[in-house]
């Protein structure tokens, strides 16, 4: 029942004109993307060398798109072009963005997406205004970084109210910082952009948080353009026989575990989502689009070995509310002949769930790096960071047929 409900939720939430959305999914130039946002909103443009990032305070300090090659370079990050031309008034609209803030859990008795005393069914889901329509306040900005702050309130399905101060910092790296962060080298002829999204939450309520009334986790999601030749690759810690499957079956045409690497095809041709449990999640995840010669690397904050993670799998027998994943990958696609709804794919990471006492804080970061151009340099970066060859990544789904 809950798997079907989840499918219904997706159909409800992605309430945009499919044909328009698909056309708008084609990557455009960065300056064109900024122009579209500027029709109704006030994007803050960060610059560092050729790197660019457009950020919106109206969307909780969301990074909408970036560029690795100046204002005229291709925008990196998917967003709903149709919605950007309107006032931000629809809590359940799928808006996209290269790095957006969310909070977990999505499901279960402590979900912040269902009101108390309401059945957890599709008709009752409600995205909180704190991550949809509520703007954040600009606290500080310079040419390459911006900081926002906002006090928010979230009430979970159990009935507990979280009063939270949120501080969110977006920073655009220069090429030296990227090389130092990842301990790699590359030449000037490679187009590169990297940024961090750091979110800190503080319990400003009058009650400590406890496991038996629910704990918030910080959830960072980035939406990107898919292609028939884009593959996410995740080197695992420890052994893992199966990924976590969300709302549709895991197919061998899109998911493979080979030599302790999870490969996931993000082509927007099959609506699906997978997860990697905390015990198996590495500190780096990669994605490679061989059509665009685009390597994307995600770096994020890992919790302690004994940390708790909110579980956002819709009902399964033996459901454990704090036995969730750190990494999730979402692939757009069709549901009952409708879709895709972007098309896009998403890379998601979650912080641990910490039972914050009054005035105690917790934070999570997700860094996103894009490398475009010279395939030999990209191959060297992939080898250095992941111990893989581009051939292993680009050929892993060759000849695979659905079982």
């Amino acid at each position: 029942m809950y798997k079907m409900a989840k499918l219904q939720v997706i159909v409800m939430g992605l309430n945009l004109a499919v044909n328009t959305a698909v056309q708008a999914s084609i990557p455009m130039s960065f300056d064109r993307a900024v122009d579209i946002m500027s029709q109704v909103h006030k994007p803050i443009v960060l610059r560092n060398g050729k790197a660019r990032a457009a950020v919106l305070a109206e969307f909780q300090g969301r990074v909408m798109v970036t560029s690795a090659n100046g204002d005229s370079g291709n925008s990196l990050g998917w967003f709903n072009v149709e919605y950007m031309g309107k006032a931000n008034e629809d809590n359940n609209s799928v808006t996209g963005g290269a790095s957006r803030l969310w909070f977990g859990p999505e499901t279960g008795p402590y979900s912040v997406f269902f009101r108390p005393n309401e059945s957890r069914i599709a008709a009752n889901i409600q995205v909180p205004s704190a991550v949809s329509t509520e703007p954040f306040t600009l606290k500080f900005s310079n040419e390459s970084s911006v900081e926002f702050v906002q006090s928010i309130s979230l009430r979970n399905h159990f009935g507990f109210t979280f009063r939270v101060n949120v501080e969110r910092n977006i920073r655009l790296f220069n090429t030296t910082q990227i090389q130092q962060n990842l301990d790699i080298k590359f030449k000037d002829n490679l187009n590169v952009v990297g940024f961090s999204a750091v979110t800190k939450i503080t319990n400003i309520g009058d009650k400590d948080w406890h496991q038996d009334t629910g704990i918030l986790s910080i959830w960072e999601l980035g939406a990107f353009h898919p292609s028939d030749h884009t593959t996410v690759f995740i080197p695992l810690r420890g052994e893992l026989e199966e990924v976590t499957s969300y709302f549709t079956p895991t197919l061998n045409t899109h998911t493979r575990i080979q030599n302790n690497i999870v490969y996931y095809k993000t082509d927007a041709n099959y609506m699906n989502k997978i997860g990697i449990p905390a015990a198996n999640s590495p500190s780096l995840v990669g994605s490679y689009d061989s059509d665009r010669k685009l390597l994307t690397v995600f770096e994020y904050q890992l919790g302690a070995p004994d940390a708790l993670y909110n579980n956002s799998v819709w009902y399964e027998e033996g459901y454990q509310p704090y036995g969730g994943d750190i990494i999730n990958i979402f692939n757009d696609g069709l549901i009952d002949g409708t879709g895709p709804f972007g098309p896009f794919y998403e890379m998601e990471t979650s912080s641990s769930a910490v039972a914050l006492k009054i005035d105690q804080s917790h934070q999570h970061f997700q860094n996103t790096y894009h490398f475009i151009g010279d395939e030999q340099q990209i191959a060297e970066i992939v080898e250095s960071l992941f111990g893989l060859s581009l051939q292993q990544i680009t050929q892993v789904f060759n000849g695979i047929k659905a079982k």
Side-chain angles (χ1 to χ4, degrees):
M1 180 179 72
Y2 283 87
K3 286 186 177 180
M4 182 57 67
K6 180 61 175 175
L7 288 170
Q8 293 169 338
V9 167
I10 293 171
V11 173
M12 285 180 56
L14 300 171
N15 54 356
L16 46 135
V18 174
N19 289 338
T20 300
V22 170
Q23 292 170 4
S25 73
I26 300 170
M28 64 188 73
S29 67
F30 178 82
D31 53 5
R32 174 58 181 153
V34 171
D35 285 345
I36 290 171
M37 294 177 219
S38 300
Q39 294 174 10
V40 178
H41 309 290
K42 297 179 180 179
I44 301 168
V45 176
L46 306 180
R47 295 176 171 85
N48 205 327
K50 294 193 297 182
R52 301 285 188 272
V55 187
L56 287 176
E58 300 95 321
F59 291 79
Q60 307 79 49
R62 186 177 314 200
V63 180
M64 299 305 296
V65 292
T66 64
S67 168
N69 196 23
D71 294 334
S72 61
N74 281 342
S75 62
L76 301 168
W78 176 88
F79 67 93
N80 182 348
V81 172
E82 185 180 22
Y83 187 67
M84 278 294 107
K86 306 173 183 178
N88 184 24
E89 297 175 345
D90 183 356
N91 281 39
N92 289 330
S93 175
V94 171
T95 311
S99 203
R100 81 177 191 270
L101 175 63
W102 209 251
F103 291 102
E106 183 180 59
T107 58
Y110 309 123
S111 169
V112 293
F113 292 84
F114 292 96
R115 297 181 179 94
N117 304 316
E118 290 190 347
S119 300
R120 297 196 302 274
I121 59 174
N124 293 334
I125 196 169
Q126 183 64 48
V127 177
S129 61
V131 293
S132 55
T133 57
E134 188 174 339
F136 278 17
T137 300
L138 177 63
K139 181 179 178 181
F140 166 85
S141 67
N142 60 24
E143 188 174 37
S144 61
S145 67
V146 62
E147 186 174 343
F148 304 92
V149 64
Q150 188 65 29
S151 294
I152 65 171
S153 178
L154 294 166
R155 187 169 177 81
N156 68 10
H157 184 257
F158 184 84
F160 186 85
T161 298
F162 302 92
R163 292 185 58 234
V164 182
N165 186 69
V166 182
E167 298 173 70
R168 183 164 170 83
N169 182 275
I170 307 300
R171 180 188 178 198
L172 195 59
F173 299 125
N174 61 36
T175 55
T176 299
Q177 290 165 336
I178 293 172
Q179 293 182 88
Q180 291 175 343
N181 289 352
L182 296 175
D183 193 22
I184 57 174
K185 298 290 184 182
F186 50 81
K187 298 176 183 177
D188 291 341
N189 63 333
L190 194 65
N191 290 325
V192 181
V193 59
F195 68 91
S196 67
V198 182
T199 301
K200 178 182 176 181
I201 59 173
T202 302
N203 177 5
I204 58 172
D206 57 4
K207 295 179 181 178
D208 296 341
W209 301 355
H210 298 282
Q211 291 185 38
D212 57 1
T213 54
I215 308 173
L216 291 181
S217 55
I218 304 164
W219 198 350
E220 195 73 31
L221 306 91
F224 303 97
H225 295 278
S227 80
D228 289 339
H229 300 102
T230 299
T231 303
V232 172
F233 47 98
I234 308 170
L236 296 169
R237 292 190 299 162
E239 299 292 330
L240 182 67
E241 292 185 5
E242 293 182 340
V243 298
T244 307
S245 181
Y246 291 75
F247 54 77
T248 57
T250 300
L251 300 182
N252 66 324
T253 53
H254 286 76
T255 306
R256 294 199 74 188
I257 301 178
Q258 190 176 81
N259 298 323
N260 220 37
I261 309 289
V262 172
Y263 296 95
Y264 190 73
K265 188 174 185 177
T266 51
D267 58 0
N269 289 323
Y270 179 58
M271 178 73 75
N272 182 242
K273 181 176 176 177
I274 65 167
I276 307 297
N280 303 105
S281 294
S283 59
L284 294 178
V285 177
S287 172
Y288 186 62
D289 179 347
S290 59
D291 290 338
R292 300 169 66 189
K293 293 182 174 55
L294 167 63
L295 169 68
T296 302
V297 176
F298 304 97
E299 179 185 25
Y300 63 94
Q301 187 166 325
L302 277 169
D306 60 347
L308 305 176
Y309 289 88
N310 280 318
N311 191 347
S312 288
V313 173
W314 286 65
Y315 179 79
E316 295 285 351
E317 186 175 351
Y319 174 82
Q320 298 293 324
Y322 298 108
D325 300 318
I326 296 180
I327 298 169
N328 293 114
I329 310 295
F330 170 80
N331 189 44
D332 200 356
L334 295 169
I335 292 182
D336 296 332
T338 301
F341 302 102
F344 59 89
Y345 77 93
E346 283 190 329
M347 167 65 198
E348 313 170 3
T349 67
S350 294
S351 77
S352 56
V354 178
L356 297 179
K357 298 183 181 299
I358 298 171
D359 294 329
Q360 189 177 3
S361 301
H362 182 49
Q363 77 169 34
H364 181 67
F365 77 81
Q366 180 173 298
N367 295 345
T368 305
Y369 307 94
H370 298 290
F371 306 86
I372 307 172
D374 183 65
E375 203 160 33
Q376 180 57 43
Q377 288 196 68
I378 289 174
E380 291 172 1
I381 292 171
V382 170
E383 174 65 32
S384 175
L385 294 179
F386 301 98
L388 294 172
S389 70
L390 285 185
Q391 187 177 31
Q392 288 174 272
I393 297 165
T394 58
Q395 296 185 6
V396 69
F397 289 106
N398 286 358
I400 300 296
K401 296 181 180 180
K403 294 180 180 179

